[in-house]
Amino acid sequence: MRLLLMSDTHLPKRAKRLPEQLLAEVPRADVVLHAGDWVDTATLDLLESRARRLIGVYGNNDGPELRARLPEVAYAQLGGLRFGVVHETGAAQGREHRCAARFPDLDVLVFGHSHIPWDTTTEDGRLRLLNPGSPTDRRRQPHCTYMTAQVKAGRVAGLELHTLPLRR
């Protein structure tokens, strides 16, 4: 099962449209996961129309229209793993411990908010935390980013952080 992970698209405030490289990944994915801060409903409509399956949540910058269509936390069984998607997880310090306590039944948690790519596992090895960064707003990061991964035999394999060219 091929996954596409993104977050913090912030359209049209941070960019006019999603990068072509990212859009080309959508039909290749079995599941697209978006961890919030869409900002506009057009991006949700676009991904719903192109993705085989879309799992998304709202973020702190998403207004009433998006909150009416998306949950704060989403859950899904994907390839034998229990996934959760949420926008905010709080400060980096203590994140693994906090998320393990908040999401005791998950194997993988996809989150956003910071625009900083993240891939860690809790101390007990039970929960993997993934933040794909942002494909449109790099903030203090060197590049805009998103992730792809495979789920095989109940494991996340081939996780790849993709960097996007700087916009002119």
Side-chain angles (χ1 to χ4, degrees), residues 58-116:
Y58 66 78
N60 61 297
N61 284 295
D62 295 327
E65 287 183 59
L66 286 161
R67 288 170 186 249
R69 293 174 60 184
L70 297 164
E72 181 179 9
V73 182
Y75 300 95
Q77 287 273 348
L78 302 173
L81 293 175
R82 301 162 299 177
F83 275 77
V85 183
V86 68
H87 185 63
E88 289 191 60
T89 59
Q93 185 173 359
R95 178 175 284 142
E96 288 78 11
H97 178 73
R98 211 171 34 254
C99 290
R102 182 176 174 196
F103 301 103
D105 297 327
L106 295 183
D107 300 305
V108 181
L109 179 66
V110 178
F111 68 98
H113 188 62
S114 68
H115 300 212
I116 299 170

Side-chain angles (χ1 to χ4, degrees), residues 3-153:
L3 306 179
L4 171 59
L5 290 66
M6 68 179 83
S7 186
D8 297 282
T9 46
H10 290 276
L11 295 179
K13 293 183 177 189
R14 301 290 191 250
K16 290 180 175 47
R17 62 185 174 279
L18 292 175
E20 288 303 318
Q21 180 181 329
L22 175 67
L23 284 174
E25 293 282 357
V26 172
R28 295 182 196 135
D30 296 300
V31 183
V32 175
L33 298 100
H34 191 300
D37 272 4
W38 308 71
V39 179
D40 71 343
T41 57
T43 304
L44 174 57
D45 294 338
L46 174 70
L47 291 179
E48 282 181 332
S49 72
R50 293 188 183 190
R52 290 182 212 170
R53 181 176 179 191
L54 176 65
I55 300 169
V57 297
Y58 66 78
N60 61 297
N61 284 295
D62 295 327
E65 287 183 59
L66 286 161
R67 288 170 186 249
R69 293 174 60 184
L70 297 164
E72 181 179 9
V73 182
Y75 300 95
Q77 287 273 348
L78 302 173
L81 293 175
R82 301 162 299 177
F83 275 77
V85 183
V86 68
H87 185 63
E88 289 191 60
T89 59
Q93 185 173 359
R95 178 175 284 142
E96 288 78 11
H97 178 73
R98 211 171 34 254
C99 290
R102 182 176 174 196
F103 301 103
D105 297 327
L106 295 183
D107 300 305
V108 181
L109 179 66
V110 178
F111 68 98
H113 188 62
S114 68
H115 300 212
I116 299 170
W118 189 274
D119 178 8
T120 59
T121 303
T122 55
E123 192 173 299
D124 63 4
R126 181 187 58 78
L127 178 64
R128 188 160 182 187
L129 291 96
L130 300 173
N131 184 331
S134 170
T136 57
D137 184 13
R138 64 186 179 95
R139 284 195 184 157
R140 293 170 300 282
Q141 300 303 300
H143 298 280
C144 291
T145 58
Y146 66 94
M147 289 177 171
T148 56
Q150 299 281 335
V151 177
K152 294 181 180 179

